[in-house]
Amino acid sequence: MSKVKVGLIQIHCGEFIAENIQKTIEKIKETVNKGAQIVCLQELFSSQYFPQTVSVKNYDLAEDVDSGTLAAMGELAKELAIVLIVPFYERAGAGIYFNSAAVFDADGECLGITRKNHIPDGPQYHEKYYFVPGNTGYPVYETAHGKIGVGICWDEWYPEVARILSLQGAEILFYPSAIGSEPDHPEISTRSSWEKAISAHGISNGVFVAATNRVGQEKDMNFYGGSFISDTFGNILASLDEEEGIIVQEIDLKEIEETRKILQFFRDRRVDTYGPILQKEILPTPSPSKKGTNKALFS
């Protein structure tokens, strides 16, 4: 079957983890009742966005990969026969923490963990204090309902992430997020830019994109929601505003091949010219003198 129904969950997180988890479980079941076969939760779904502040106590929020929360989510995926993407704060070892997402297949098996690669740091986004840059690369998961890739929040802004996932065969790119107000620039909203930048990955790669975000006021930050699903031409198929809710959208994976027959970006890539992108900094090439240029042209 080429058609699959994708579900996204957008909620406001309160102060109590148990309540957030229970609310999320109820929303998962709601999306399944509406036909969802793949469901993605928002970044760090079980708690409020703790990187607003720097505190040693927040390290206690981290969980092992075999934690009770993840085990319960795996069982839920099996019970509902869905693919379930579960972002969580991962404790990998002594003093080693990742911002991660577990991918459960429809039989409840954990297919793997994606760890966030790009870690931001700025006013009230103090993520470098809490998260080590990911070391899992950009895995693609072959699930019961299609091949999927996951990029976590800041990863979603980078076209390189989307390209690598797509080249590996991902058909749907999922981006669990936690993004909202800019404390040092309260007059600016990045919501429109966020939607445009991420949906554009669908155009460049001929894939479907599903981005989910939290919503509402958490301490000093307001998260703007805006979760959406876009098609292979970047068109927004379904979206939410600044309210709690779910999205369930049917997509047809056959559109990927049809789009790539029209927009042949993969065929025309010039990988032999892309070496400079592997450098952190590209120094400007010195301009030749006018005299030197003339010699080169007319010799």
Side-chain angles (χ1 to χ4, degrees), residues 5 20 41 50 62 82 93 103 112 120 135 142 169 173 176 186 199 214 222 226-227 240 263-264 276 286:
K5 288 189 176 182
N20 295 328
L41 312 183
F50 55 86
I82 59 170
V103 177
N135 59 4
E142 188 160 359
L173 307 184
S199 60
R214 64 180 59 212
N222 183 64
S227 302
L240 293 171
L263 299 176
Q264 290 281 4

Side-chain angles (χ1 to χ4, degrees), residues 13-273:
C13 287
E15 295 182 9
F16 301 105
I17 289 176
E19 292 181 4
N20 295 328
I21 293 174
Q22 185 56 42
K23 180 192 287 189
T24 299
I25 290 173
E26 292 171 1
K27 291 294 184 182
I28 292 172
K29 292 180 177 178
E30 183 180 344
T31 65
V32 173
N33 287 338
K34 293 188 176 183
Q37 297 164 290
I38 307 177
V39 178
C40 183
L41 312 183
Q42 61 202 37
E43 181 185 21
L44 303 171
F45 84 98
S46 64
S47 69
Q48 292 192 327
Y49 182 72
F50 55 86
Q52 287 188 56
T53 59
V54 171
S55 173
V56 172
K57 293 180 180 179
N58 287 333
Y59 288 129
D60 294 336
L61 296 171
E63 304 177 75
D64 299 329
V65 293
D66 58 354
S67 71
T69 300
L70 289 181
M73 288 296 171
E75 287 299 316
L76 186 62
K78 180 179 180 180
E79 174 190 338
L80 301 175
I82 59 170
V83 175
L84 185 58
I85 302 166
V86 184
F88 70 106
Y89 186 20
E90 180 188 356
R91 181 192 297 109
I96 305 296
Y97 306 91
F98 293 98
N99 188 335
S100 302
V103 177
F104 294 98
D105 209 353
D107 60 359
E109 177 188 359
C110 182
L111 297 178
I113 303 290
T114 291
R115 291 168 171 166
K116 185 173 182 175
N117 284 285
H118 299 87
I119 309 299
D121 192 77
Q124 291 183 268
Y125 292 94
H126 301 293
E127 296 201 10
K128 281 185 167 63
Y129 181 79
Y130 293 104
F131 311 128
V132 173
N135 59 4
T136 55
Y138 304 99
V140 168
Y141 304 97
E142 188 160 359
T143 77
H145 301 299
K147 295 179 182 179
I148 68 173
V150 180
I152 303 172
C153 203
W154 200 227
D155 290 338
E156 68 202 359
W157 292 90
Y158 290 82
E160 298 87 351
V161 175
R163 180 72 88 199
I164 292 170
L165 291 171
S166 300
L167 286 172
Q168 293 182 98
E171 298 166 310
I172 313 169
L173 307 184
F174 285 92
Y175 294 113
S177 313
I179 185 169
S181 56
E182 299 293 333
D184 53 340
H185 293 286
E187 75 284 3
I188 294 176
S189 172
T190 60
R191 179 176 169 184
S192 178
S193 299
W194 177 77
E195 182 184 277
K196 289 175 182 177
I198 304 169
S199 60
H201 299 328
I203 305 171
S204 300
N205 296 287
V207 293
F208 291 91
V209 171
T212 184
N213 190 23
R214 64 180 59 212
V215 70
Q217 191 75 27
E218 295 181 16
K219 298 180 180 178
D220 295 326
M221 291 185 66
N222 183 64
F223 296 90
Y224 49 62
S227 302
F228 70 89
I229 296 171
S230 59
D231 68 10
T232 54
F233 284 102
N235 299 306
I236 306 301
L237 302 177
S239 64
L240 293 171
D241 202 354
E242 296 185 25
E243 73 279 341
E244 290 189 305
I246 65 170
I247 295 174
V248 177
Q249 176 66 43
E250 183 176 76
I251 61 176
D252 190 345
L253 300 178
K254 286 183 178 178
E255 293 180 19
I256 295 173
E257 183 177 0
E258 295 305 311
T259 299
R260 289 176 179 171
K261 288 177 180 177
I262 300 169
L263 299 176
Q264 290 281 4
F265 297 132
F266 281 10
R267 181 195 65 192
D268 298 336
R269 292 174 65 239
R270 284 291 311 279
V271 296
D272 55 312
T273 68

